[in-house]
Amino acid sequence: MSNVFAITAEANQARLLAFRDLVDSAAQKGYIEFYSAARPGSITGTYTPAARTTLARPCGTMVTGYLKLVPDAAGGEMVTTTATILWGRIFKGDGTPVADGDVTDESGDGAFKLAGTAGTTLFAGGYLLLATAGIG
């Protein structure tokens, strides 16, 4: 017997819209912080981000059973520290953590995919560009 639920497309859409509404529930816009340290086993603790991107409001759009997160700055946000990014954390605008996910380049299968196919190293003075980020 499996512990995995099978849900309908309608139930999945409701779950994803509730997630979007949670991220957007604070007065300020939600955001994603990106980290070069090893990913923790739970969504707790405070870590020093290597980069950050603010999300649009609403923070995402529905795309066939998938909530695609949308950055506020289409051209990306400037990176201040050179680092190889391993994972990211989504926050509500008030700083409450909501979800963690691995980071890969576009050729990988991470929850957050950085633009390009040459790895996840960001360089100071460059721009953080998300290829895709979302929840299915």
Side-chain angles (χ1 to χ4, degrees):
M1 187 187 258
S2 173
N3 288 338
V4 178
F5 280 104
I7 63 174
T8 66
E10 180 182 22
N12 186 53
Q13 180 162 334
R15 175 181 67 94
L16 295 172
L17 290 174
F19 182 90
R20 182 190 70 187
D21 292 347
L22 175 66
V23 173
D24 286 340
S25 65
Q28 302 84 12
K29 292 178 180 179
Y31 56 94
I32 306 169
E33 288 186 345
F34 295 93
Y35 305 94
S36 58
R39 182 176 167 188
S42 65
I43 304 175
T44 59
T46 302
Y47 304 90
T48 302
R52 173 182 163 152
T53 190
T54 302
L55 296 169
R57 188 169 297 214
C59 69
T61 57
M62 290 299 300
V63 180
T64 315
Y66 179 80
L67 177 65
K68 181 179 180 186
L69 299 174
V70 178
D72 196 38
E77 294 189 45
M78 185 170 283
V79 176
T80 58
T81 304
T82 297
T84 299
I85 305 302
L86 301 176
W87 64 283
R89 177 170 284 170
I90 301 170
F91 290 86
K92 292 171 39 176
D94 65 5
T96 303
V98 177
D100 289 352
D102 291 332
V103 174
T104 61
D105 63 17
E106 288 180 86
S107 64
D109 63 356
F112 305 105
K113 293 183 182 185
L114 301 181
T117 57
T120 62
T121 299
L122 299 177
F123 296 95
Y127 287 86
L128 168 63
L129 297 171
L130 284 177
T132 59
I135 300 176

